[in-house]
Amino acid sequence: MVVESDFYRVRLRFKRLFAEPAIFEDQKNAVRRFLVSPHHPTNQVAIYQITDDISPSDNVGKSPDIAGTARYIHRGRVVRSEYLENASVTLEYADFGTGLSPGDHHRLWKRQKWGRMSFNLEEFRHEHLRIEIPAVTELYEMLRTRADPTTLVDVELPELPDNFFRSAVGYLETRLKQLAELEHKTIDIYVARDLLPEQKVALEKRLTRPSTQSTIYIMLSKAEATAQL
């Protein structure tokens, strides 16, 4: 099936960047927390953050030094906290159907405020893609009928730049896990390009075909089974 997806890259520059929990705690979900608002209901699970390690940088792309300390409100208390000065944060993420338009995304970032910190939106880049992936419901049904107590299949995704590829994997994994949890089953996904050579060889032998950089392995396990490579 063809999935419509929107990819975004934003660069934010903070005059003072504190260790704001909304950004730096559970970093892989920081964008989701920023975009989701009680005033603008969205399908939260359709946001997939590509940047999972948020690393501030200075004007030349290096890690900035601590500039000083100042009072800052942290979890309802006024504390003294270290901060970075004129630090940039770059985030990449994908939207697989939140209901937010590109204009909505731009408007939300243009608020230029995250928690109690203000920032300047220095870059906002948007790209729309149509990605061919297996139909999730049909793929899950095939997995569940083979699971005794586990089953393993390989799936070839389209050749995509790494950031887009990671988002497609995230979309597929989240949708499959939603279906599996309803039946108290477990889904594990392994990306061929991330595996150690011996792991990849073992899986290729098990499935009797070679993998590519676009291959992912999906394992479905019943509740009593433990998924292992």
Side-chain angles (χ1 to χ4, degrees):
M1 70 177 187
V2 175
V3 174
E4 302 278 342
S5 54
D6 291 280
F7 292 85
Y8 297 91
R9 174 187 169 93
V10 296
R11 186 171 68 249
L12 323 174
R13 181 171 294 277
F14 295 82
K15 184 175 182 180
R16 283 187 173 183
L17 178 60
F18 291 88
E20 168 61 54
I23 300 177
F24 295 105
E25 288 187 6
D26 187 21
Q27 294 187 21
K28 66 181 180 180
N29 290 306
V31 169
R32 182 179 298 167
R33 290 195 300 275
F34 180 86
L35 293 175
V36 171
S37 164
H39 307 297
H40 198 143
T42 63
N43 177 8
Q44 297 184 31
V45 298
I47 297 172
Y48 300 92
Q49 187 172 316
I50 299 163
T51 306
D52 55 11
D53 180 19
I54 300 175
S55 301
S57 62
D58 60 17
N59 290 331
V60 293
K62 295 182 178 180
S63 181
D65 295 326
I66 300 297
T69 61
R71 291 181 178 180
Y72 184 71
I73 297 179
H74 177 76
R75 293 177 175 169
R77 295 192 314 150
V78 177
V79 298
R80 291 194 67 82
S81 173
E82 294 179 335
Y83 64 86
L84 307 176
E85 206 162 59
N86 295 319
S88 293
V89 168
T90 301
L91 299 165
E92 292 184 315
Y93 65 97
D95 184 333
F96 282 89
T98 61
L100 295 172
S101 69
D104 291 329
H105 282 266
H106 187 255
R107 177 181 56 79
L108 289 168
W109 289 110
K110 282 296 289 183
R111 292 183 304 183
Q112 301 190 131
K113 194 170 184 65
W114 202 330
R116 294 179 176 272
M117 297 183 300
S118 297
F119 61 81
N120 290 326
L121 179 61
E122 293 192 330
E123 178 184 0
F124 178 86
R125 188 183 304 173
H126 165 247
E127 185 172 352
H128 182 77
L129 286 185
R130 293 164 56 88
I131 301 176
E132 184 80 32
I133 65 170
V136 176
T137 304
E138 295 175 11
L139 177 58
Y140 179 75
E141 187 60 28
M142 179 186 72
L143 288 163
R144 71 187 295 274
T145 56
R146 294 183 181 182
D148 188 28
T150 66
T151 189
L152 176 72
V153 300
D154 58 344
V155 172
E156 198 73 13
L157 294 180
E159 291 187 11
L160 296 166
D162 189 67
N163 54 351
F164 299 162
F165 176 81
R166 300 287 175 184
S167 291
V169 173
Y171 172 82
L172 197 58
E173 182 175 24
T174 299
R175 293 291 307 278
L176 287 170
K177 284 185 174 181
Q178 288 174 333
L179 295 173
E181 287 171 2
L182 294 175
E183 299 183 328
H184 307 289
K185 294 180 173 62
T186 301
I187 286 285
D188 293 283
I189 290 186
Y190 306 95
V191 179
R193 66 179 71 176
D194 296 338
L195 296 175
L196 296 173
E198 57 269 27
Q199 293 175 319
K200 188 159 59 172
V201 168
L203 288 172
E204 289 173 344
K205 287 182 178 179
R206 184 170 172 179
L207 294 172
T208 67
R209 52 182 168 266
S211 64
T212 72
Q213 286 292 93
S214 298
T215 301
I216 63 172
Y217 296 98
I218 305 173
M219 181 177 286
L220 175 69
S221 307
K222 293 184 179 178
E224 65 274 13
T226 302
Q228 294 182 346
L229 282 178

